[in-house]
Amino acid sequence: MSGTENYESAANRADAVAAFEDNHKSAFQRFQHRLHVTPSLVPLIVLIASLIIFAVAIDGTAILGALGIGEGDRFRFFSPFSMTLILQQIQIVGIVGAAQSLVILTAGIDLSVGAIMVLSSVVMGQFAFRYGLPPEIAVVCGLLCGSICGFINGFLVAVVKLPPFIVTLGMWQIVLATNFLYSANETIRSQEIEASAPLLQFFGNSFRVGGAVFTYGVVFMILLVIILAYVLRQTAYGRHIYAVGDDIEAAELSGVNTRNTLISVYMLSGLICAFAGWALIGRIGSVSPTSGQLANIDSITAVVIGGISLFGGRGSILGMIFGAIIVGVFTLGLRLLGADAQWTYLLIGALIIGAVAVDQWIRKATA
């Protein structure tokens, strides 16, 4: 028998064994495998279930006064307006969560994302009002500030080989202190921005599509997620990010420049956080050094609930946005039901623990 025939015979036997094993998997095992292959399915299922539950619980209507929007009007939970209202509420978390997702996919973590976001917004405001620079230049300076902070994080992690948790914990404190020292804890009011630098509030501008109300910040968040989802799944750079998170030593042996990959990921994370700072100005209308302080925790919450593994190398940016929307649905739904705000934290905490438990269970599935 020739070598080619031997190879074909072995291949046929391997295919037969694989088919035999697949046929003998239970439905439960096949479901586990499907979740392993597509991690974003879990948050998507939770999101759909939560939408249905709250739509039924609220019985389709609630008083808008509960949201401070008006009084006496009727508000349908499952409507274009309420769905886009949720998107408006989670736009900052969604943008910062995208930055956090990239870092966590490399098996790292960035505790400084919130501080970088706020410092970038303060730099934009101060450069426009303290130094009198054109708003366009001020925005660019803010974006550069975020990128530089990200580069420092990446350099310390990739070159100096310090643990990401320690590096970003220290950077969080440094950037937070710099933010207050540089701004002198002063807020630039909305009226001043509207009069002199309306560009800073660009992401807060809104437009209607039927009954839905979108802001440019929401549009940016959606476009960012789509672009990153494509980059992560369809480009060599995206595959390198997953490879570094899965096994950095194996990635190095396969020819991936892990150092440059890590530095670029942290730089990109910092840049995205700077865009989040710009969107934050549009969201709240002012430049405040005290805003967005919990963005680091909120972003990690969205990432974990979204099914991205904290061990790195597995997950999807779409899952992260599903996780952020889940938090938004719970927040709005419970508020409309008149529940105490603490119930929101309780249920989200349970979701976080449940998401990690599900991740551990899914990791046991064979790819």
Side-chain angles (χ1 to χ4, degrees):
M1 186 179 290
S2 68
T4 303
E5 290 173 337
N6 282 331
Y7 176 79
E8 291 177 350
S9 177
N12 290 334
R13 286 197 299 272
D15 291 341
V17 170
F20 177 80
E21 289 179 349
D22 188 63
N23 288 335
H24 281 72
K25 281 183 178 179
S26 66
F28 186 75
Q29 289 174 320
R30 287 196 293 272
F31 176 66
Q32 184 185 22
H33 177 72
R34 174 54 55 190
L35 295 180
H36 178 85
V37 174
T38 316
S40 60
L41 275 180
V42 176
L44 179 59
I45 293 169
V46 174
L47 175 58
I48 294 172
S50 61
L51 285 171
I52 294 172
I53 291 170
F54 279 114
V56 172
I58 296 169
D59 197 25
T61 60
I63 302 299
L64 269 177
L67 293 173
I69 298 174
E71 238 179 291
D73 298 324
R74 289 293 176 181
F75 179 86
R76 293 190 61 84
F77 178 78
F78 201 69
S79 67
F81 177 77
S82 63
M83 294 301 101
T84 50
L85 178 62
I86 291 171
L87 290 177
Q88 290 177 43
Q89 292 175 338
I90 62 101
Q91 62 181 302
I92 303 301
V93 174
I95 297 171
V96 177
Q100 188 73 259
S101 298
L102 293 173
V103 175
I104 289 181
L105 283 173
T106 63
I109 195 166
D110 193 344
L111 299 177
S112 64
V113 287
I116 292 174
M117 173 187 72
V118 178
L119 178 61
S120 299
S121 70
V122 166
V123 167
M124 293 177 191
Q126 293 294 330
F127 274 49
F129 288 91
R130 181 187 293 181
Y131 307 126
L133 294 178
E136 297 82 1
I137 302 298
V139 168
V140 171
C141 291
L143 298 179
L144 284 174
C145 174
S147 301
I148 291 170
C149 291
F151 171 79
I152 294 171
N153 280 337
F155 180 83
L156 293 175
V157 170
V159 180
V160 186
K161 304 293 185 182
L162 297 178
F165 181 89
I166 301 300
V167 168
T168 58
L169 178 63
M171 181 60 73
W172 170 49
Q173 298 284 357
I174 292 169
V175 173
L176 198 62
T178 303
N179 167 41
F180 287 117
L181 291 171
Y182 179 64
S183 66
N185 206 17
E186 295 178 354
T187 297
I188 302 174
R189 295 178 301 172
S190 177
Q191 296 87 340
E192 298 177 71
I193 297 175
E194 289 175 4
S196 304
L199 178 65
L200 297 183
Q201 295 179 336
F202 170 75
F203 284 120
N205 297 330
S206 61
F207 61 93
R208 283 184 173 271
V209 179
V213 180
F214 293 92
T215 63
Y216 289 115
V218 170
V219 174
F220 175 78
M221 177 189 70
I222 294 171
L223 291 176
L224 176 66
V225 168
I226 292 172
I227 292 170
L228 289 179
Y230 174 81
V231 169
L232 288 171
R233 289 298 180 185
Q234 303 297 329
T235 68
Y237 178 68
R239 289 191 289 272
H240 290 172
I241 291 175
Y242 279 103
V244 169
D246 189 49
D247 189 333
I248 190 169
E249 293 180 357
E252 286 180 349
L253 292 174
S254 63
V256 176
N257 190 328
T258 56
R259 183 163 69 176
N260 287 353
T261 300
L262 282 172
I263 291 176
S264 65
V265 163
Y266 279 93
M267 278 190 70
L268 182 57
S269 173
L271 176 61
I272 293 172
C273 289
F275 272 106
W278 187 6
L280 180 65
I281 298 174
R283 176 66 179 160
I284 66 176
S286 60
V287 177
S288 173
T290 60
S291 59
Q293 298 300 331
L294 295 178
N296 54 347
I297 302 300
D298 292 339
S299 67
I300 295 172
T301 298
V303 167
V304 172
I305 295 177
I308 296 179
S309 176
L310 291 175
F311 298 98
R314 198 180 67 82
S316 115
I317 203 82
L318 292 177
M320 179 281 301
I321 205 65
F322 292 152
I325 296 174
I326 288 170
V327 174
V329 168
F330 271 74
T331 303
L332 178 62
L334 290 172
R335 191 173 179 185
L336 287 172
L337 287 171
D340 191 296
Q342 300 307 318
W343 281 102
T344 304
Y345 297 113
L346 188 151
L347 292 175
I348 291 173
L351 279 175
I352 292 172
I353 296 172
V356 174
V358 169
D359 176 63
Q360 292 285 347
W361 173 67
I362 292 175
R363 286 172 66 88
K364 296 177 183 178
T366 54

